[in-house]
Amino acid sequence: MKYSQPHSAAAGTRLVEDVEQYDVIIIGAGVTGLYALYRLRERGLSVRVYEEGGGVGGTWYWNRYPGARFDSESYTYGYSFSEELLQEWDWKEHYSGQPENERYLNYVADKFDLRRDIRLNSRVISAVTPAFRATAPPDAGFEGEVLG
């Protein structure tokens, strides 16, 4: 469930802020991120997706070079959680290119109202759970630490 909880902004300060909390946070609104959002919502969990890009699609949002396309048959990328979706979407090519792949993922995001739980243009630089802390300082590598 989503809720706000007082949270100390920094050690040794008295600054308190509201922090949104969710059952699950997903980083990235690509093929797998959208699928995970759909399935976790289906289980009644509160979920937030953070996507650095300005649109959904992950690889298919970012990679727009000539010739970018699926390396497997298009239908294998179709989400099988919805028979209706499988019937509605008609892949135009056997190995579809980037524009169609991105259209499909946008279609899915709209059809299942996934956008309401996605925050675009949002770069995650730190995440803390009771068991794990992760930080990714700007232009530095990812760092992680298991809290014991």
Side-chain angles (χ1 to χ4, degrees):
M1 302 232 157
K2 178 184 163 192
Y3 57 93
S4 293
Q5 168 181 318
H7 171 76
S8 296
T13 69
R14 296 174 98 19
L15 181 63
V16 175
E17 60 184 271
D18 283 338
V19 176
E20 291 184 330
Q21 294 191 4
Y22 301 91
D23 295 320
V24 178
I25 291 175
I26 298 168
I27 300 174
V31 173
T32 305
L34 295 178
Y35 178 80
L37 173 57
Y38 178 86
R39 287 297 195 190
L40 292 165
R41 252 203 219 161
E42 191 176 52
R43 288 171 174 69
L45 298 171
S46 64
V47 184
R48 174 69 77 221
V49 177
Y50 293 98
E51 168 58 52
E52 186 173 6
V56 301
T59 296
W60 306 110
Y61 171 82
W62 291 106
N63 295 329
R64 298 163 185 260
Y65 56 87
R69 63 182 53 253
F70 283 153
D71 59 358
S72 299
E73 295 173 292
S74 301
Y75 78 89
T76 63
Y77 281 87
Y79 294 113
S80 60
F81 59 72
S82 168
E83 184 61 36
E84 182 180 345
L85 174 63
L86 290 172
Q87 297 304 316
E88 287 175 354
W89 191 263
D90 181 35
W91 294 101
K92 305 297 183 226
E93 296 182 77
H94 197 66
Y95 295 90
S96 62
Q98 182 277 336
E100 183 176 9
N101 302 339
E102 187 179 14
R103 273 193 307 276
Y104 175 72
L105 295 169
N106 275 285
Y107 181 80
V108 169
D110 292 336
K111 178 174 182 61
F112 298 102
D113 190 27
L114 300 179
R115 292 182 197 277
R116 70 181 153 100
D117 292 320
I118 299 172
R119 292 297 169 264
L120 300 173
N121 302 305
S122 298
R123 184 175 189 198
V124 175
I125 58 169
S126 178
V128 177
T129 72
F132 188 79
R133 175 186 354 218
T135 59
D139 300 323
F142 174 82
E143 299 173 12
E145 166 185 7
V146 176
L147 305 175

